[in-house]
Amino acid sequence: MPGTHRPALVVTLIIAIVSALFAASYSLAIADPKPHGVPIGLVSSTVTAAEFRTMLGEPPATTFQIIAFPTEARALHAIDEQEIYGALVDGGTSSRLYISSASGDSVARLLEGDAPVIEAAIGHPVTVVDKHPLTASDPSGLVLFYVPLVAVIIGFLGAVQTRTNAPKLTLRAELAWDVARSALAAFAIVLTISILLRIMRLPFFPSWGVLALTMLVAGMTYSAFRVLIGARWALLPTWIVFVLISNPASGGRSRRRSSRRSTSSSGGGCRPERLSTPSGTSRTFRTTCMPSRISCSSCGSW
């Protein structure tokens, strides 16, 4: 084979392999996400951690870490601080199952789906309360999922383009432009999503800072690989680390919750929704507490 075609063959084979791995990693993460080592709170004097884990129907590939709390207030504080994804508070004659969709929509839907089973096991009604729900404009959490993904991709692609189109920059100048580019691009993202299009109200300065740092880290990771293996192949391991491995490893986004959402007011307060339950069990209601403004602690994805 002529030598001029050999580089094209190598690139073609690598792209084919990476494409298959790319599709497989996202399909496995999105099609049927499974939680691993997920911390769930329990406030009860009668239900043990082992019994609660059994109620959740934990399969071998799924692991819940049940953490006992002395009071409901302490468990709710742990949810607010994103120390746990949810909590069962057993009151003896009625119970509340707290979830947090903004902390992890896949886990929240999994717990919500187990509510009828928990209710049947403990023998009294269980109310599902979404402590930190997703907004009506982003009911599946896709905005919070794709905005950081955009920041990562633009972060290292920006670094590639800067070094390709300005090859005479010194290392100090490259890093300075990485900082400037990350700050400006992150500002543009938050301005567009939160103010211009009003898709989601984000805390402006914290979001700007987090996205800017995300872009900067992605760009500097590419720079590190560029120093280690050269400019020709530096993009490939950067793409593998950030897009092929880390992003699907976060759990991905899966289908929108099947339960019907209330279409009433979008302001603050709590609203109940009836959930379907197996025949023979009492009715279960889901309460969604809608904050008037989403705070940083309720926007994070773990």
Side-chain angles (χ1 to χ4, degrees):
M1 178 178 292
T4 54
H5 291 276
R6 187 169 297 132
L9 174 61
V10 172
V11 171
T12 299
L13 294 176
I14 291 176
I15 292 300
I17 295 173
V18 171
S19 298
L21 293 175
F22 190 21
S25 62
Y26 273 77
S27 298
L28 291 173
I30 295 175
D32 190 18
K34 295 289 192 306
H36 298 278
V38 176
I40 304 295
L42 174 64
V43 181
S44 176
S45 58
T46 57
V47 179
T48 66
E51 291 172 339
F52 186 30
R53 188 178 288 109
T54 301
M55 295 176 194
L56 295 175
E58 180 178 334
T62 304
T63 302
F64 289 101
Q65 180 185 357
I66 308 300
I67 302 175
F69 291 93
T71 63
E72 180 177 357
R74 179 65 186 88
L76 294 181
H77 178 72
I79 293 177
D80 292 340
E81 294 297 318
Q82 296 194 353
E83 297 173 0
I84 57 176
Y85 277 89
L88 174 66
V89 178
D90 183 23
T93 58
S94 64
S95 298
R96 288 173 296 280
L97 179 62
Y98 290 97
I99 61 176
S100 180
S101 297
S103 300
D105 189 46
S106 298
V107 176
R109 284 185 289 105
L110 179 65
L111 292 174
E112 185 175 337
D114 286 334
V117 179
I118 296 173
E119 182 178 85
I122 61 181
H124 52 250
V126 174
T127 301
V128 180
V129 181
D130 198 342
K131 189 71 165 54
H132 295 292
L134 293 163
T135 63
S137 60
D138 185 27
S140 296
L142 294 177
V143 173
L144 295 177
F145 177 69
Y146 283 108
V147 164
L149 177 60
V150 168
V152 168
I153 295 176
I154 294 300
F156 62 73
L157 288 183
V160 172
Q161 289 301 308
T162 298
R163 286 151 180 78
T164 300
N165 292 281
K168 296 182 180 181
L169 289 176
T170 64
L171 179 59
R172 179 175 297 181
E174 288 178 350
L175 295 178
W177 278 108
D178 285 344
V179 173
R181 184 184 61 253
S182 299
L184 181 59
F187 176 85
I189 290 176
V190 178
L191 180 68
T192 301
I193 297 298
S194 185
I195 297 178
L196 297 181
L197 299 181
R198 298 181 180 179
I199 296 176
M200 176 173 290
R201 297 178 63 185
L202 299 172
F204 191 90
F205 289 103
S207 301
W208 182 12
V210 169
L211 291 177
L213 288 175
T214 300
M215 290 185 173
L216 182 61
V217 169
M220 295 185 70
T221 301
Y222 165 78
S223 298
F225 282 121
R226 188 168 179 263
V227 172
L228 292 173
I229 64 176
R232 176 179 293 182
W233 296 106
L235 179 60
L236 182 61
T238 306
W239 177 273
I240 291 174
V241 168
F242 283 112
V243 180
L244 191 63
I245 298 177
S246 64
N247 201 51
S250 68
R253 306 304 307 178
S254 42
R255 296 183 302 273
R256 181 178 300 181
R257 71 177 72 244
S258 58
S259 63
R260 178 176 56 85
R261 286 183 176 271
S262 172
T263 57
S264 59
S265 66
S266 58
C270 299
R271 57 176 183 259
E273 303 174 45
R274 180 179 298 178
L275 297 176
S276 59
T277 59
S279 58
T281 63
S282 57
R283 295 177 180 176
T284 304
F285 288 88
R286 174 176 182 268
T287 301
T288 301
C289 298
M290 296 297 295
S292 58
R293 181 180 179 87
I294 299 296
S295 64
C296 255
S297 62
S298 66
C299 287
S301 182
W302 292 1

